[in-house]
Amino acid sequence: MSERLNLTITTLLQRYPEARSVFVAHGLEGLVSEDGLRALAPFLTLGTALRSRGIATESFMRLLDGYGRADPRCAGVGGYPQER
């Protein structure tokens, strides 16, 4: 579906720092808390986190898409058009 599902939570939040609210809105606040960021986020991929909580990937990614479009580092990744 999206290459972003294979990114660790740490990497994802580095690319989309504002996306923390998407995690909180989906009940993953523990994952993006100080302890979660230290213990789990460097090793846990987004896809694994969503599957383990039974969260619909499509709805999560739609919300996340709103954050990634502004980040030029995401061009060509996860369905974003490559800038020319």
Side-chain angles (χ1 to χ4, degrees):
M1 172 179 207
S2 172
E3 293 177 33
R4 291 175 293 166
L5 291 172
N6 295 322
L7 296 176
T8 65
I9 302 302
T10 298
T11 300
L12 196 69
L13 289 175
Q14 287 170 343
R15 292 185 186 179
Y16 312 98
E18 308 86 5
R20 184 181 297 248
S21 63
V22 178
F23 286 86
V24 173
H26 281 82
L28 297 170
E29 58 276 342
L31 186 56
V32 295
S33 69
E34 188 176 318
D35 288 338
L37 289 172
R38 188 175 38 255
L40 295 172
F43 311 104
L44 187 64
T45 66
L46 175 60
T48 300
L50 296 178
R51 279 190 305 275
S52 71
R53 295 294 302 262
I55 297 171
T57 306
E58 296 81 18
S59 65
F60 190 94
M61 297 307 284
R62 257 193 313 273
L63 290 173
L64 193 59
D65 282 344
Y67 295 105
R69 295 198 194 287
D71 190 337
R73 293 173 293 179
C74 298
V77 176
Y80 295 120
Q82 190 84 22
E83 292 190 20
R84 296 179 190 236

